[in-house]
Amino acid sequence: MKINANYLNLKESYLFSDIAKKTNAYKAANPDADIIRLGIGDVTLPLCKAVVDAFHAASDEMGVKETFKGYGPEQGYGFLKDAIRDYYKEEDGVTLESDEIFISDGAKSDLGNILDIFSKENTVLVPDPVYPVYVDTNIMDGRKIVYMSGNAENNFLPLPDENTVGDIIYICSPNNPTGAAYNHEQLKLWVDYALVHGALILFDAAYESFVTSKELVRSIYEIEGARKCAIEFCSFSKIAGFTGTRCGWTVVPAELEYEGVKLGKLWLRRQTTKFNGVSYPVQRAAAAVFTPEGRKQIAENLDYYRGNAKIITAALDELGIWYTGGVNSPYVWLKCPNGMGSWEFFDLLLTKANVVGTPGAGFGAMGEGFFRLTAFGDRERTREAAERIKKLLK
Ligand code: PLP
């Protein structure tokens, strides 16, 4: 028996454990310190009422013989796929067929699982810094990874470069951790590049619900040609606080075809073989997000987080600190002041302001010297953190 030795090439991820270790050690030495955590990427507001009501009602159905559900369709119930199809139409003007939408237990699983249908010989282009899952899942398969540098000059939005060619291109917009989001012209460059090179874009739209600026893109299918070269991943985690409830979706357009094979067909085969679908109550709860009450309640939650982001960015504006994100994203990505390194700034904030954030170096080499704060916290605590940061850095 031989193991998959590619796993030995994975770098241990110490980011969040190191943050916890440092924070706990500081707290142990300073028990009175009132620490505010703006480092987490998890949501804090509970599920909205429309979602909870649908969850209850569907759970009740499961306890009654006449309405009980056994195995559902592996690719999701029609009622949820139709609701997502309508959401695309109404929000983005994008036309999809329900059978191009595949329901799953979240974007992370799909981003990893989709790689089953691609050759390990493909070269992968990954932005740096970015959500670490893209890199690790490809290392597990032994694919060659080429990095596209994000930096202050390109506002952390790398664009195609004819010297850097890849077969699979990851785009995360709005980006985690930088909060930077592509506009239509920029994304069109990526779509054209993918079409010319016969490449495939994996577009991670997990934070699309935070986009409010009209010039920015929420779905890659807003761009002409994208149906021929892009798969889109999305999630209820950030739209509606489903991080612990688990539901997401992936769009594989009918036109997507490589080497004469439809990718939708391969993905359907992969899912029906290795996945048995998301639970019925969770899918009912997810569908409630798109009802008029659900939408209203979700919008209130998103506005709450946006308000937090505004408090953070206003403090940075006052201090004259460079940042991206915050406007169309729950993440604010700032340049550490006075040329400090990511961890140096982490220590300063922890010990002098009792505020915890995430060092940018944990998201890739290009993240060194930058720092992520999140808007997913409590309003009053966020306000207090912003005041402390202002006081410290003025
Ligand atoms: N994609 C990005 C960019 C993320 O930041 C996250 C979670 O933080 C995910 C995907 C995972 O989403 P899910 O909770 O649906 O697995």
Coordinates of all heavy atoms in Angstrom, one line a residue, residues 99-158:
D99 N -30.6 23.0 -14.7 CA -29.7 21.8 -14.7 C -28.2 22.1 -14.9 O -27.3 21.2 -15.0 CB -30.2 20.7 -15.6 CG -30.1 21.1 -17.1 OD1 -29.6 22.2 -17.4 OD2 -30.6 20.3 -18.0
E100 N -27.9 23.4 -15.0 CA -26.5 23.8 -15.0 C -26.0 24.2 -13.6 O -24.9 24.5 -13.3 CB -26.3 25.1 -15.9 CG -26.6 24.8 -17.3 CD -26.6 26.1 -18.2 OE1 -27.1 27.1 -17.7 OE2 -26.1 26.0 -19.3
I101 N -27.0 24.1 -12.6 CA -26.7 24.4 -11.2 C -26.6 23.2 -10.4 O -27.5 22.3 -10.5 CB -27.8 25.4 -10.7 CG1 -27.8 26.7 -11.5 CG2 -27.6 25.7 -9.2 CD1 -29.0 27.5 -11.3
F102 N -25.6 23.0 -9.6 CA -25.4 21.8 -8.8 C -25.3 22.2 -7.3 O -24.4 23.0 -7.0 CB -24.1 21.1 -9.2 CG -24.1 20.5 -10.6 CD1 -23.9 21.4 -11.7 CD2 -24.3 19.2 -10.9 CE1 -23.9 20.9 -13.0 CE2 -24.3 18.7 -12.2 CZ -24.1 19.6 -13.2
I103 N -26.1 21.7 -6.5 CA -26.2 22.0 -5.1 C -25.2 21.2 -4.3 O -25.1 20.0 -4.6 CB -27.6 21.8 -4.5 CG1 -28.6 22.5 -5.3 CG2 -27.6 22.3 -3.0 CD1 -28.5 24.0 -5.5
S104 N -24.5 21.8 -3.3 CA -23.5 21.0 -2.5 C -23.5 21.5 -1.1 O -24.3 22.4 -0.7 CB -22.1 21.1 -3.1 OG -21.6 22.4 -2.8
D105 N -22.7 20.9 -0.3 CA -22.6 21.3 1.1 C -21.6 22.5 1.3 O -21.2 22.8 2.4 CB -22.2 20.1 2.0 CG -20.8 19.6 1.6 OD1 -20.3 19.9 0.5 OD2 -20.2 18.9 2.4
G106 N -21.3 23.2 0.2 CA -20.5 24.4 0.4 C -19.5 24.5 -0.7 O -19.1 23.6 -1.4
A107 N -18.9 25.7 -0.9 CA -18.0 26.0 -2.0 C -16.7 25.3 -1.7 O -16.0 24.9 -2.7 CB -17.8 27.5 -2.1
K108 N -16.3 25.2 -0.5 CA -14.9 24.6 -0.2 C -14.9 23.1 -0.8 O -13.9 22.8 -1.5 CB -14.7 24.5 1.3 CG -13.2 24.2 1.6 CD -13.1 24.1 3.1 CE -11.7 24.1 3.6 NZ -11.5 24.2 5.0
S109 N -16.0 22.4 -0.5 CA -16.0 21.0 -1.0 C -15.9 21.0 -2.6 O -15.2 20.2 -3.2 CB -17.3 20.3 -0.6 OG -17.6 20.6 0.7
D110 N -16.7 21.8 -3.2 CA -16.8 21.8 -4.6 C -15.5 22.2 -5.3 O -15.0 21.7 -6.3 CB -17.9 22.7 -5.2 CG -19.3 22.0 -5.1 OD1 -19.3 20.8 -4.6 OD2 -20.3 22.6 -5.5
L111 N -14.9 23.3 -4.7 CA -13.6 23.7 -5.2 C -12.5 22.6 -5.1 O -11.7 22.5 -6.0 CB -13.1 24.9 -4.4 CG -13.8 26.3 -4.7 CD1 -13.6 27.2 -3.5 CD2 -13.2 26.9 -6.0
G112 N -12.6 21.8 -4.1 CA -11.7 20.7 -4.1 C -12.1 19.5 -5.0 O -11.3 19.0 -5.7
N113 N -13.4 19.2 -4.9 CA -13.9 18.0 -5.7 C -13.8 18.2 -7.2 O -13.7 17.2 -7.9 CB -15.3 17.7 -5.3 CG -15.4 17.3 -3.8 OD1 -14.4 16.8 -3.3 ND2 -16.6 17.5 -3.2
I114 N -14.0 19.4 -7.7 CA -14.0 19.6 -9.1 C -12.8 19.1 -9.8 O -12.8 18.7 -11.0 CB -14.3 21.2 -9.4 CG1 -14.7 21.4 -10.9 CG2 -13.0 22.0 -9.2 CD1 -16.2 21.1 -11.1
L115 N -11.7 19.1 -9.0 CA -10.4 18.8 -9.6 C -10.4 17.3 -10.1 O -9.6 16.9 -10.9 CB -9.2 19.0 -8.6 CG -9.0 20.5 -8.2 CD1 -8.0 20.7 -7.2 CD2 -8.7 21.3 -9.5
D116 N -11.3 16.5 -9.5 CA -11.4 15.1 -10.0 C -11.6 15.0 -11.5 O -11.2 14.0 -12.1 CB -12.7 14.5 -9.4 CG -12.5 13.9 -8.0 OD1 -11.4 14.1 -7.4 OD2 -13.4 13.2 -7.5
I117 N -12.2 16.0 -12.1 CA -12.6 15.9 -13.5 C -11.5 16.5 -14.5 O -11.7 16.5 -15.7 CB -14.0 16.4 -13.9 CG1 -14.1 17.9 -13.7 CG2 -15.1 15.7 -13.0 CD1 -15.4 18.5 -14.3
F118 N -10.4 16.9 -13.9 CA -9.3 17.5 -14.7 C -8.0 16.7 -14.6 O -7.7 16.1 -13.5 CB -9.0 18.9 -14.3 CG -10.2 19.8 -14.1 CD1 -10.4 20.6 -13.0 CD2 -11.1 19.9 -15.2 CE1 -11.5 21.4 -12.9 CE2 -12.3 20.7 -15.0 CZ -12.4 21.5 -13.9
S119 N -7.3 16.7 -15.7 CA -6.0 15.9 -15.7 C -5.0 16.6 -14.7 O -5.0 17.8 -14.5 CB -5.4 16.0 -17.1 OG -4.0 15.7 -17.1
K120 N -4.2 15.7 -14.2 CA -3.2 16.2 -13.2 C -2.0 16.9 -14.0 O -1.1 17.5 -13.4 CB -2.7 15.1 -12.4 CG -3.8 14.5 -11.5 CD -3.3 13.4 -10.5 CE -4.3 13.0 -9.5 NZ -5.6 12.6 -9.9
E121 N -2.1 16.8 -15.3 CA -1.0 17.4 -16.1 C -1.2 18.9 -16.4 O -0.4 19.6 -16.9 CB -0.9 16.7 -17.5 CG -0.3 15.3 -17.4 CD -0.6 14.5 -18.6 OE1 -0.8 15.0 -19.7 OE2 -0.5 13.2 -18.4
N122 N -2.4 19.4 -16.0 CA -2.7 20.8 -16.2 C -1.8 21.7 -15.3 O -1.6 21.3 -14.2 CB -4.2 21.1 -15.9 CG -5.1 20.5 -16.9 OD1 -4.9 20.8 -18.1 ND2 -6.1 19.8 -16.5
T123 N -1.5 22.8 -15.8 CA -0.8 23.8 -15.0 C -1.9 24.8 -14.5 O -2.8 25.1 -15.2 CB 0.2 24.6 -15.8 OG1 1.2 23.7 -16.3 CG2 0.8 25.7 -15.1
V124 N -1.7 25.1 -13.2 CA -2.7 25.9 -12.5 C -2.2 27.3 -12.2 O -1.1 27.5 -11.7 CB -3.1 25.2 -11.2 CG1 -4.0 26.0 -10.4 CG2 -3.7 23.8 -11.5
L125 N -3.0 28.3 -12.5 CA -2.6 29.7 -12.2 C -3.4 30.2 -11.0 O -4.6 30.1 -11.0 CB -3.0 30.7 -13.3 CG -2.1 30.8 -14.6 CD1 -2.6 32.0 -15.4 CD2 -0.7 31.0 -14.2
V126 N -2.7 30.6 -10.0 CA -3.4 31.0 -8.7 C -2.9 32.4 -8.3 O -1.7 32.7 -8.3 CB -3.0 30.0 -7.6 CG1 -3.7 30.4 -6.3 CG2 -3.4 28.6 -8.0
P127 N -3.8 33.3 -8.0 CA -3.4 34.6 -7.5 C -2.7 34.5 -6.1 O -3.0 33.6 -5.4 CB -4.7 35.4 -7.4 CG -5.8 34.4 -7.6 CD -5.3 33.1 -8.0
D128 N -1.8 35.4 -5.8 CA -1.2 35.4 -4.6 C -1.2 36.9 -4.1 O -0.8 37.7 -4.8 CB 0.3 35.0 -4.7 CG 1.1 35.1 -3.5 OD1 0.6 35.4 -2.4 OD2 2.4 34.9 -3.6
P129 N -1.8 37.1 -2.9 CA -2.4 36.2 -1.9 C -3.8 35.8 -2.3 O -4.5 36.4 -3.0 CB -2.4 37.1 -0.7 CG -2.6 38.5 -1.2 CD -1.9 38.5 -2.5
V130 N -4.2 34.6 -1.7 CA -5.6 34.1 -1.9 C -5.9 33.1 -0.9 O -5.1 32.5 -0.2 CB -5.7 33.6 -3.3 CG1 -5.3 32.1 -3.5 CG2 -7.2 33.7 -3.9
Y131 N -7.2 32.7 -0.8 CA -7.8 31.6 -0.1 C -6.9 30.4 -0.3 O -6.8 29.9 -1.4 CB -9.2 31.4 -0.6 CG -10.1 30.4 0.1 CD1 -10.3 30.4 1.4 CD2 -10.8 29.5 -0.7 CE1 -11.1 29.4 2.0 CE2 -11.6 28.5 -0.1 CZ -11.8 28.5 1.2 OH -12.6 27.6 1.8
P132 N -6.3 29.8 0.8 CA -5.3 28.8 0.6 C -5.8 27.4 0.0 O -5.0 26.6 -0.4 CB -4.8 28.5 2.0 CG -5.3 29.7 2.8 CD -6.5 30.2 2.2
V133 N -7.1 27.2 0.0 CA -7.7 26.0 -0.5 C -7.3 25.7 -2.0 O -7.0 24.5 -2.3 CB -9.2 26.0 -0.4 CG1 -9.9 24.8 -1.1 CG2 -9.6 25.9 1.1
Y134 N -7.2 26.7 -2.8 CA -6.8 26.4 -4.2 C -5.4 25.8 -4.3 O -5.2 24.9 -5.1 CB -6.8 27.7 -5.1 CG -8.0 28.7 -4.9 CD1 -7.8 30.0 -5.1 CD2 -9.2 28.2 -4.5 CE1 -8.9 30.9 -4.9 CE2 -10.3 29.1 -4.4 CZ -10.1 30.4 -4.5 OH -11.1 31.3 -4.4
V135 N -4.5 26.3 -3.6 CA -3.1 25.8 -3.6 C -3.1 24.4 -3.1 O -2.6 23.5 -3.7 CB -2.2 26.8 -2.9 CG1 -0.8 26.1 -2.7 CG2 -2.1 28.1 -3.6
D136 N -3.6 24.2 -1.9 CA -3.5 22.9 -1.2 C -4.2 21.8 -2.0 O -3.6 20.7 -2.1 CB -4.0 23.0 0.2 CG -3.1 23.8 1.1 OD1 -2.0 24.1 0.7 OD2 -3.5 24.0 2.3
T137 N -5.3 22.0 -2.6 CA -6.0 21.0 -3.3 C -5.3 20.6 -4.5 O -5.3 19.4 -4.9 CB -7.5 21.4 -3.7 OG1 -7.4 22.7 -4.3 CG2 -8.4 21.5 -2.4
N138 N -4.6 21.5 -5.1 CA -3.8 21.1 -6.3 C -2.5 20.5 -5.9 O -2.0 19.6 -6.7 CB -3.5 22.4 -7.2 CG -4.8 22.7 -8.1 OD1 -5.0 21.9 -9.0 ND2 -5.5 23.7 -7.7
I139 N -1.9 20.8 -4.8 CA -0.7 20.1 -4.3 C -1.1 18.7 -4.1 O -0.3 17.8 -4.4 CB -0.1 20.8 -3.1 CG1 0.5 22.2 -3.4 CG2 0.9 19.9 -2.4 CD1 1.0 23.0 -2.3
M140 N -2.2 18.4 -3.5 CA -2.7 17.1 -3.2 C -2.7 16.2 -4.5 O -2.5 15.0 -4.4 CB -4.1 17.1 -2.6 CG -4.1 17.6 -1.1 SD -5.8 17.8 -0.6 CE -5.5 18.3 1.1
D141 N -3.0 16.8 -5.6 CA -3.1 16.1 -6.9 C -1.7 16.1 -7.6 O -1.6 15.5 -8.7 CB -4.1 16.8 -7.8 CG -5.5 16.3 -7.5 OD1 -5.7 15.5 -6.6 OD2 -6.5 16.8 -8.1
G142 N -0.8 16.9 -7.1 CA 0.5 17.0 -7.8 C 0.6 17.9 -9.0 O 1.4 17.7 -9.9
R143 N -0.4 18.8 -9.1 CA -0.4 19.7 -10.3 C 0.7 20.8 -10.1 O 1.0 21.2 -9.0 CB -1.7 20.4 -10.5 CG -2.7 19.5 -11.3 CD -4.0 20.2 -11.7 NE -4.9 19.2 -11.9 CZ -5.6 18.6 -10.9 NH1 -5.6 19.1 -9.7 NH2 -6.4 17.6 -11.2
K144 N 1.2 21.3 -11.3 CA 2.1 22.4 -11.2 C 1.4 23.7 -11.0 O 0.3 24.0 -11.6 CB 2.9 22.5 -12.6 CG 3.9 23.6 -12.6 CD 4.6 23.6 -13.9 CE 5.5 24.8 -14.0 NZ 5.7 25.3 -15.3
I145 N 1.8 24.5 -10.0 CA 1.2 25.8 -9.7 C 2.0 27.0 -10.0 O 3.2 27.0 -9.7 CB 0.8 25.8 -8.2 CG1 -0.1 24.6 -7.8 CG2 0.2 27.1 -7.8 CD1 -0.3 24.5 -6.3
V146 N 1.4 27.9 -10.7 CA 2.2 29.1 -11.1 C 1.4 30.3 -10.4 O 0.2 30.3 -10.4 CB 2.2 29.4 -12.6 CG1 2.9 30.7 -12.9 CG2 2.9 28.2 -13.3
Y147 N 2.1 31.2 -9.8 CA 1.5 32.3 -9.0 C 1.4 33.5 -9.8 O 2.3 33.9 -10.5 CB 2.2 32.5 -7.7 CG 2.1 31.3 -6.8 CD1 3.1 30.3 -6.7 CD2 1.0 31.2 -5.9 CE1 3.0 29.2 -5.9 CE2 0.9 30.1 -5.1 CZ 1.9 29.1 -5.1 OH 1.7 28.0 -4.3
M148 N 0.2 34.2 -9.6 CA 0.1 35.6 -10.3 C 0.1 36.6 -9.1 O -0.7 36.5 -8.2 CB -1.3 35.7 -10.9 CG -1.7 34.5 -11.7 SD -3.3 34.8 -12.5 CE -4.5 34.1 -11.4
S149 N 1.1 37.5 -9.2 CA 1.3 38.4 -8.0 C 0.3 39.5 -7.9 O 0.0 40.3 -8.8 CB 2.7 39.0 -8.2 OG 3.6 38.1 -8.1
G150 N -0.3 39.6 -6.7 CA -1.1 40.7 -6.4 C -0.2 41.7 -5.6 O 0.6 41.2 -4.8
N151 N -0.4 42.9 -5.8 CA 0.4 43.9 -5.0 C -0.3 45.3 -5.1 O -1.3 45.4 -5.8 CB 1.8 44.0 -5.6 CG 1.8 44.2 -7.1 OD1 1.1 45.0 -7.6 ND2 2.5 43.3 -7.8
A152 N 0.3 46.2 -4.3 CA -0.4 47.5 -4.2 C -0.5 48.2 -5.6 O -1.4 48.9 -5.9 CB 0.4 48.4 -3.3
E153 N 0.5 47.9 -6.5 CA 0.5 48.5 -7.9 C -0.7 48.1 -8.7 O -1.3 48.9 -9.4 CB 1.8 48.2 -8.6 CG 3.0 49.0 -8.1 CD 3.4 48.5 -6.7 OE1 3.6 47.3 -6.5 OE2 3.6 49.4 -5.9
N154 N -1.0 46.8 -8.6 CA -2.2 46.3 -9.4 C -3.5 46.2 -8.5 O -4.4 45.5 -8.9 CB -1.9 45.0 -10.2 CG -1.5 43.8 -9.3 OD1 -1.9 43.9 -8.1 ND2 -0.9 42.8 -9.8
N155 N -3.4 46.9 -7.4 CA -4.6 46.9 -6.4 C -5.0 45.4 -6.1 O -6.2 45.2 -5.8 CB -5.7 47.6 -7.0 CG -5.5 49.1 -6.9 OD1 -5.1 49.6 -5.8 ND2 -5.7 49.8 -8.0
F156 N -4.0 44.5 -6.1 CA -4.3 43.1 -5.8 C -5.3 42.5 -6.7 O -6.0 41.6 -6.4 CB -4.7 42.9 -4.3 CG -3.5 43.1 -3.4 CD1 -3.2 44.4 -2.8 CD2 -2.7 42.1 -3.1 CE1 -2.1 44.6 -2.0 CE2 -1.6 42.3 -2.3 CZ -1.3 43.5 -1.7
L157 N -5.2 43.0 -8.0 CA -6.1 42.4 -9.0 C -5.2 42.0 -10.2 O -5.1 42.8 -11.2 CB -7.1 43.4 -9.5 CG -8.2 43.7 -8.4 CD1 -9.0 44.9 -8.8 CD2 -9.1 42.5 -8.1
P158 N -4.4 40.9 -10.1 CA -3.6 40.5 -11.2 C -4.4 40.3 -12.5 O -5.5 39.8 -12.5 CB -2.9 39.2 -10.8 CG -3.6 38.8 -9.5 CD -4.4 40.0 -9.0

